[in-house]
Amino acid sequence: MITFFILPSSIIFIMQSNQRKAQNKKQRSFKRVSTHKIELAILKYTNIERRKRGELPLKLDRRLSDCARDHSMDMANRNYFSHVNRKKEQPWDRAKKYGYKWGIAENIGIMPDGPVSGIGNITPNADRIGKAHVKSWMKSPGHAANILRNYDRIGIGVSYRGKWTIATQDFADNPPSFLRQLLGMKPPVKRYAPGIFADQ
């Protein structure tokens, strides 16, 4: 025998309301992660990969970070994922607006929460999210080459698209390595400076 239960509409409304609250709470918990902390985690794991291969750690550059952050926010707000923005500007076009006339290299990444194949389970934790982005880039030869190349500074910007994090890395050196060679300048000494900012 099958027994049917008729629930009053008020009870159904309460159940639906509680489900929505649970979903909103889960989304809020993910969004509460500080994008600045994710950016610092990306810097940390980027430099860990460089140190493994005997490269100098990158300094965080405020102008490059503004450039990277603006691109991440633009991708999130305008719903696209590309190095070329909706104005058809390339990374080096955007970099010129921030004082970098010699061009830059760029990595972009998008990461959901939850299990990601080859990366692991992404939880609402700045360190894990930052580590996941770097791990994903290091699996790609082109992105890994940018991380490991002879740059001396980096800009990092993170934004949200729903529960996904969008990250941009912009790389540069000052002066550029080709100009350093042209002028007969010595390469930088492999020394680990205490600060993390390029203008310290």
Side-chain angles (χ1 to χ4, degrees):
M1 184 179 74
I2 301 174
T3 304
F4 293 94
F5 295 93
I6 300 175
L7 296 175
S9 60
S10 59
I11 294 177
I12 294 173
F13 175 78
I14 291 170
M15 291 171 65
Q16 291 174 339
S17 178
N18 288 338
Q19 288 174 349
R20 280 196 298 270
K21 285 179 181 177
Q23 290 172 351
N24 290 339
K25 184 177 180 182
K26 183 180 179 182
Q27 187 165 355
R28 281 198 305 271
S29 70
F30 186 80
K31 283 198 171 187
R32 274 200 291 267
V33 178
S34 163
T35 53
H36 177 64
K37 289 182 179 179
I38 297 172
E39 290 165 6
L40 291 179
I42 289 174
L43 176 68
K44 180 178 81 170
Y45 287 106
T46 295
N47 281 334
I48 285 173
E49 294 298 334
R50 288 176 64 86
R51 285 190 178 100
K52 286 179 184 176
R53 293 156 178 85
E55 296 295 333
L56 283 166
L58 297 170
K59 290 292 194 97
L60 193 62
D61 185 276
R62 289 183 172 90
R63 287 182 300 161
L64 279 177
S65 289
D66 287 342
C67 182
R69 197 172 295 116
D70 285 351
H71 188 54
S72 290
M73 291 175 66
D74 192 57
M75 286 190 287
N77 293 334
R78 299 193 183 195
N79 196 31
Y80 71 97
F81 184 70
S82 171
H83 291 286
V84 183
N85 66 16
R86 295 297 192 197
K87 297 178 182 178
K88 306 300 181 185
E89 293 174 325
Q90 298 280 354
W92 46 88
D93 296 321
R94 300 192 308 271
K96 286 180 183 177
K97 298 177 182 178
Y98 295 88
Y100 279 87
K101 300 177 183 179
W102 301 102
I104 60 170
E106 184 174 86
N107 286 344
I108 57 175
I110 185 166
M111 191 66 60
D113 69 328
V116 178
S117 177
I119 302 296
N121 190 42
I122 313 303
T123 58
N125 174 282
D127 194 75
R128 290 194 181 206
I129 295 169
K131 185 177 184 179
H133 274 288
V134 175
K135 187 175 181 180
S136 175
W137 285 321
M138 291 304 295
K139 287 178 176 289
S140 161
H143 294 90
N146 282 340
I147 287 174
L148 301 175
R149 204 165 278 147
N150 188 28
Y151 298 112
D152 66 4
R153 59 196 61 212
I154 186 174
I156 303 168
V158 173
S159 186
Y160 280 103
R161 182 193 291 170
K163 294 193 293 180
W164 296 62
T165 54
I166 298 177
T168 301
Q169 289 182 311
D170 286 334
F171 304 87
D173 48 5
N174 189 27
S177 54
F178 78 89
L179 185 59
R180 199 180 279 135
Q181 291 174 359
L182 186 66
L183 298 175
M185 297 172 65
K186 292 181 180 180
V189 178
K190 291 204 170 187
R191 180 179 63 249
Y192 297 107
I196 63 169
F197 292 101
D199 52 2
Q200 282 184 332

